[in-house]
Amino acid sequence: MKRLIVLLMLAVASLPALAKDDWKGKVVDEKGEPVPYANVAVLSKADSTVVCGVVTQEDGTFNIVTSETDGIMMVAMLGYKTVYVAPVDGAVITLSDDTQTLEGAVASAVMPKTKLTGEGLQTNVRGSVLENAGSANDVLAKTPGLIKGQNGLEVIGKGSPMVYINGRRVSDASELDRLQSNEIQSVEVITNPGAQYDATVRAVVRIRTIRRQGDGFGFDLNASDAQSLRWVRGNDPFGAINVNYRTGGVDIFGGINYAGNTSRQKSYLEKQTFGIKSDGADWLFENKGTLLNEYIGSSLYGNAGVNWQMADNHFLGGKVEWGRHLTYNVHTEVNDNVFENGTLIDRLTTVSDDTMGDRIPYNLGANLYYNGLVAGKLGVDVNLDYYGTDDSSKSVSKESSEMTHDAAISSVSDNTGRMYAAKAVLSYPIWKGQLQAGTEETFSRRTDNYKVDGIDIPASKAAIIEDNIAGFASYGCLVPGVGQFSAGVRYEYVHYAYEDAVTPANNLSRNYGNWFPNVSYTGVIGANTQNPVQVMLNYSTKTSRPHYGNLSSAIRYNSRYIWQSGNAQLQPELSHNLGFTAVWKFIAVMLDYNRTDDAIVTWSSPYGDEGVVLVKPRNIETPFRMMSAYVNLTPTVGPWNMNYTVGVLPQWFTINAPDPREASGVRVTTFNDKPIFFGQLFNTFTVKGGWQFELGSVLMSPGYSRNLYMTNWFINLTVAVQKTLLRDGSLVLRLEGEDLTRNAYFNANSDFGSHTIMQTNLLDTQKVKLSIRYSFNTAQSKYRGTGAGADSKARM
């Protein structure tokens, strides 16, 4: 079982040695295709301990510099049989497929093999049923450790992850629709991101693609159309083309895609607001009514870039990404019956239309990078980034009242954001591990201008400045017979300033300086048995900074009785995370505990004494604690592949809520005793002729999610049928159905002390989707830019 320990070590770093011999070679599969990212290690003949090791390059080549003149070379790669050979310079080593069986039933198509790395849970996609799942989004929805709910893909217990493809951060979410499952080698879910990541990053998903070789021109086309079964206007067309030209060491690539998006929500709401008037009398406002919200929009995105392999282990490149809205329309209708102390005082109908403003919203990003090895050992990774966004919108609301007065309200909002960032990382092998150190600087500027007519709400003209300067270092090593240890620390100094040109009294300036440590251990229990257990323990400290839009103190008008605002006084959240993961055969178990101080929640409270509610974010003075626990099973029997995940999400949350009905003015509200149970049950059947059939479901029970109580079962039942055509599988047709039982939504209640809400929802998620994709001589880009300032981009 020493092989497992070796693989764990090689996943982090290559081991150093005094240079005496220089062994070069190449690793290929049975078809002669290069095998990238294979682990190549030199073992001592005396005791089989690791002397040094490397990972093969994209073309399958490797170069080991070692002082061991009489060792054994081991080559290992997930999905292939491990090979042991005598070291020979210039050798071409062939790996053969490692076919698995389960309880005597030979699997013609197997579920993805999952293992622990030094950072997280890695799932192999190539050669598994996930290889034909559709897009990268479809793969992620069925990857152990991830769950797809009403708010999209999330790492269980961690929230939305930051996604990387071949080391480059995904800033355009549609890229996960363009990337096809048959181009993915593996997916790694990291629940304890190291010091090299921004301190706000709580979870990372790293996608590695299959490296196609060869020069020439290639392209891939992807088109789909999703149609709602309940709303004729609910049509979501999508089309993308990506091209790539490679010659020698130069790789030129680009792409463009169009996406149409729609959404529809019908809700029934009951709200109660408690207060005390200026004369000391109690009052109770109640709102009961319906809401209809419809969104129809479309966007165009593009990217272009170049990668130049100047020499062995030296890469230089640049990339530009841009996007813009083509259409943007939000239509909202609210019918509201208003009661004061039990007496009907108003029947109000509000119709609002939100559209693009005078300027067309757009975003533009650029990245320049260098990645290479200096003197054969010192790794250098440098990235320079720019990101800019302009957003302009206008809203017109018409209020019709049966009992009071009509009103016409209009508003205009203009926002701009600019970010400049740089990141440099150096890595060097020391002893039996690798030391990594670096720095990251991010400078962000944002302006928010808001003006409303028809009601007495002041205009706002604010500027937000945030500078983040960080330094980090980490070290990982293997202790033979014990396991792999890694530790890191990141220090971030943040200067934040809020400047209000209309109301200077709101101006605010703060400076933060925080340390964010992380440690992890990965090992093997029962290393000398046939089926060892891989285990991982980790601890980290993280922060979460508010979205820039939530820092503006300007009051936005939503309706006569609901106003909205940001909060310039918001403090960042600070979280402590402790995790445990174990993997045995096809079973993975994960436990994660999180404590968050200064938790940010959306809060509603009375604004004046006429029934108006102001919705704004606030920090909670008591800690928010939660735990996630789940087990994932991926057995395979013949053509039937199962991927089942079941778990529970308990939380402990107590809030001192303002309540004028209490003598103290405060009421203790708890959100503790009703955890959410969840399950993901995916079944895939693969048969001859390129056919694949899928039946899946995602289930979530009623329970608390922070300060909301989800009152119903969330059930999303999906089916799909897929056909792969042409000899090389380059043409794929897929038909799928989503939310077949029409239960993929949550109803929610919340208690804010002086304000309570009960809301039932019906969402337009029942859809049928047809997609087609075709690839010709595709070659995945060699682009190695990892980017900088990822957190600021997301917050803009």
Side-chain angles (χ1 to χ4, degrees):
M1 292 299 100
K2 292 180 180 178
R3 168 194 172 193
L4 291 174
I5 299 177
V6 171
L7 288 174
L8 291 171
M9 178 56 197
L10 293 176
V12 173
S14 300
L15 298 180
L18 298 175
K20 287 188 178 180
D21 279 350
D22 189 355
W23 291 331
K24 297 180 180 180
K26 186 174 184 178
V27 180
V28 298
D29 61 17
E30 293 173 302
K31 298 179 181 180
E33 293 293 324
V35 178
Y37 305 116
N39 296 305
V40 182
V42 175
L43 312 180
S44 169
K45 273 190 176 181
D47 56 7
S48 296
T49 59
V50 177
V51 178
C52 64
V54 297
V55 176
T56 58
Q57 301 296 314
E58 297 170 358
D59 59 359
T61 61
F62 64 87
N63 182 14
I64 292 183
V65 180
T66 177
S67 60
E68 182 68 34
T69 59
D70 188 27
I72 301 171
M73 184 177 293
M74 183 192 77
V75 182
M77 178 65 181
L78 195 65
Y80 297 92
K81 294 179 179 178
T82 300
V83 174
Y84 298 88
V85 297
V88 177
D89 189 35
V92 177
I93 302 170
T94 302
L95 299 183
S96 57
D97 290 337
D98 185 8
T99 304
Q100 287 191 341
T101 62
L102 176 63
E103 297 177 355
V106 178
S108 58
V110 299
M111 279 307 298
K113 304 169 189 177
T114 300
K115 70 170 186 178
L116 284 176
T117 66
E119 295 180 285
L121 204 61
Q122 180 175 297
T123 300
N124 194 48
V125 175
R126 187 182 187 186
S128 75
V129 294
L130 291 183
E131 186 173 13
N132 294 311
S135 68
N137 269 324
D138 297 316
V139 172
L140 296 181
K142 299 174 183 177
T143 297
L146 291 167
I147 188 169
K148 184 179 181 181
Q150 184 171 319
N151 297 321
L153 283 168
E154 295 184 353
V155 173
I156 297 174
K158 296 288 187 176
S160 299
M162 187 167 289
V163 181
Y164 288 80
I165 298 177
N166 296 332
R168 175 183 55 80
R169 181 182 178 270
V170 175
S171 57
D172 175 7
S174 66
E175 186 171 357
L176 296 177
D177 288 316
R178 301 195 300 267
L179 178 63
Q180 301 306 300
S181 56
N182 63 344
E183 298 293 338
I184 298 176
Q185 175 72 39
S186 64
V187 175
E188 185 177 8
V189 179
I190 300 173
T191 56
N192 182 42
Q196 69 270 31
Y197 296 100
D198 189 285
T200 62
V201 180
R202 301 192 182 196
V204 169
V205 170
R206 289 201 299 226
I207 299 174
R208 282 185 174 177
T209 61
I210 299 170
R211 296 300 185 180
R212 310 293 189 187
Q213 303 300 318
D215 292 343
F217 175 78
F219 68 90
D220 65 79
L221 300 172
N222 182 19
S224 66
D225 190 46
Q227 175 60 50
S228 168
L229 299 181
R230 299 281 180 172
W231 183 35
V232 67
R233 301 181 67 189
N235 184 258
D236 301 339
F238 175 84
I241 179 171
N242 295 284
V243 297
N244 185 285
Y245 179 74
R246 179 176 293 170
T247 176
V250 178
D251 182 28
I252 303 172
F253 58 92
I256 190 169
N257 72 282
Y258 167 86
N261 300 103
T262 61
S263 65
R264 193 174 196 234
Q265 173 183 343
K266 291 183 177 180
S267 300
Y268 174 77
L269 300 94
E270 289 188 4
K271 297 172 288 184
Q272 291 184 323
T273 307
F274 310 96
I276 300 177
K277 291 191 174 184
S278 57
D279 59 3
D282 295 339
W283 55 263
L284 167 64
F285 270 89
E286 296 176 278
N287 300 72
K288 300 179 181 179
T290 61
L291 177 145
L292 171 66
N293 180 273
E294 296 176 344
Y295 164 73
I296 300 177
S298 60
S299 303
L300 191 67
Y301 297 93
N303 69 85
V306 61
N307 181 81
W308 177 29
Q309 185 172 356
M310 300 179 291
D312 289 343
N313 298 318
H314 291 278
F315 296 84
L316 183 69
K319 183 176 183 179
V320 175
E321 297 177 299
W322 60 269
R324 55 160 291 183
H325 284 296
L326 299 178
T327 57
Y328 176 87
N329 295 279
V330 180
H331 178 76
T332 306
E333 296 179 11
V334 179
N335 295 292
D336 213 359
N337 292 323
V338 185
F339 299 83
E340 183 177 6
N341 296 326
T343 302
L344 179 68
I345 62 170
D346 201 0
R347 285 194 179 96
L348 183 66
T349 298
T350 304
V351 178
S352 302
D353 288 286
D354 297 350
T355 58
M356 290 188 295
D358 296 331
R359 302 197 316 271
I360 296 177
Y362 79 92
N363 59 73
L364 176 66
N367 169 255
L368 294 174
Y369 83 93
Y370 166 78
N371 178 277
L373 283 176
V374 178
K377 287 188 176 182
L378 179 64
V380 180
D381 189 3
V382 178
N383 282 265
L384 302 175
D385 276 74
Y386 165 81
Y387 184 76
T389 177
D390 274 18
D391 188 19
S392 179
S393 62
K394 56 185 178 182
S395 176
V396 176
S397 299
K398 294 182 179 180
E399 298 177 347
S400 302
S401 172
E402 295 183 11
M403 305 178 69
T404 58
H405 62 278
D406 297 343
I409 312 295
S410 63
S411 63
V412 176
S413 177
D414 292 306
N415 308 305
T416 63
R418 300 292 183 266
M419 185 215 69
Y420 309 88
K423 185 176 182 179
V425 184
L426 301 179
S427 57
Y428 193 81
I430 296 178
W431 190 50
K432 293 186 177 182
Q434 181 162 285
L435 176 67
Q436 187 180 75
T439 180
E440 184 173 11
E441 293 80 30
T442 305
F443 306 95
S444 303
R445 304 291 184 268
R446 179 181 172 91
T447 61
D448 289 312
N449 298 318
Y450 179 76
K451 181 181 179 182
V452 59
D453 295 318
I455 192 169
D456 188 19
I457 292 179
S460 173
K461 186 176 183 181
I464 298 172
I465 299 172
E466 185 175 288
D467 299 332
N468 186 325
I469 299 175
F472 55 87
S474 63
Y475 181 75
C477 69
L478 174 70
V479 178
V482 179
Q484 175 183 315
F485 296 87
S486 64
V489 64
R490 182 182 181 99
Y491 178 79
E492 292 189 356
Y493 175 80
V494 178
H495 169 69
Y496 166 78
Y498 177 85
E499 300 173 356
D500 192 332
V502 177
T503 311
N506 292 333
N507 290 356
L508 183 67
S509 179
R510 292 199 191 112
N511 296 312
Y512 302 98
N514 298 98
W515 294 91
F516 301 98
N518 68 281
V519 294
S520 69
Y521 162 78
T522 306
V524 178
I525 299 175
N528 296 320
T529 65
Q530 185 176 358
N531 296 303
V533 179
Q534 302 174 67
V535 296
M536 181 172 67
L537 287 167
N538 58 67
Y539 166 81
S540 63
T541 302
K542 297 292 181 181
T543 189
S544 179
R545 301 185 182 95
H547 188 283
Y548 289 120
N550 286 337
L551 295 172
S552 173
S553 295
I555 295 178
R556 262 68 171 177
Y557 183 87
N558 287 353
S559 70
R560 184 172 296 187
Y561 294 99
I562 300 178
W563 298 0
Q564 187 171 352
S565 173
N567 183 358
Q569 302 291 330
L570 280 178
Q571 298 284 343
E573 295 181 345
L574 183 65
S575 299
H576 300 272
N577 309 281
L578 183 64
F580 169 78
T581 305
V583 176
W584 179 73
K585 297 179 71 173
F586 59 83
I587 302 174
V589 177
M590 180 171 286
L591 301 172
D592 188 86
Y593 174 80
N594 174 278
R595 174 192 165 115
T596 300
D597 295 319
D598 292 321
I600 299 174
V601 299
T602 300
W603 199 260
S604 298
S605 57
Y607 189 77
D609 57 4
E610 296 183 357
V612 175
V613 172
L614 182 64
V615 181
K616 64 187 296 185
R618 59 164 286 197
N619 294 108
I620 300 301
E621 61 276 7
T622 54
F624 169 72
R625 295 170 294 155
M626 72 166 294
M627 185 177 72
S628 62
Y630 70 89
V631 59
N632 174 257
L633 309 173
T634 56
T636 299
V637 180
W640 181 20
N641 302 270
M642 291 158 277
N643 185 354
Y644 297 163
T645 300
V646 292
V648 62
L649 299 169
Q651 68 172 41
W652 299 267
F653 199 22
T654 300
I655 298 177
N656 297 321
D659 190 339
R661 295 170 297 176
E662 300 291 331
S664 63
V666 176
R667 177 164 54 88
V668 177
T669 57
T670 59
F671 307 86
N672 297 339
D673 56 346
K674 296 178 181 178
I676 292 178
F677 294 88
F678 65 91
Q680 290 190 131
L681 310 175
F682 296 117
N683 302 274
T684 304
F685 301 87
T686 56
V687 296
K688 293 181 179 180
W691 287 97
Q692 181 168 300
F693 302 91
E694 302 171 19
L695 176 64
S697 61
V698 177
L699 306 96
M700 297 184 190
S701 74
Y704 284 117
S705 176
R706 289 220 168 183
N707 60 323
L708 295 177
Y709 177 66
M710 309 304 178
T711 64
N712 66 300
W713 276 89
F714 174 98
I715 303 174
N716 185 9
L717 180 65
T718 61
V719 297
V721 58
Q722 182 171 287
K723 172 66 173 174
T724 301
L725 302 169
L726 303 183
R727 178 175 296 181
D728 60 355
S730 58
L731 180 62
V732 179
L733 301 177
R734 182 178 176 87
L735 179 66
E736 54 192 300
E738 186 92 3
D739 188 21
L740 299 186
T741 61
R742 209 184 186 192
N743 293 112
Y745 60 86
F746 271 123
N747 300 323
N749 294 346
S750 192
D751 184 352
F752 302 97
S754 56
H755 180 67
T756 62
I757 298 177
M758 185 279 291
Q759 180 172 332
T760 61
N761 304 297
L762 186 60
L763 305 181
D764 182 51
T765 50
Q766 193 174 45
K767 296 186 177 183
V768 174
K769 180 180 179 181
L770 176 64
S771 60
I772 179 173
R773 65 178 187 269
Y774 174 73
S775 302
F776 171 76
N777 192 30
T778 54
Q780 286 295 326
S781 170
K782 290 184 177 181
Y783 197 78
R784 295 192 172 198
T786 57
D791 171 61
S792 293
K793 291 181 187 177
R795 292 163 65 205
M796 283 188 180

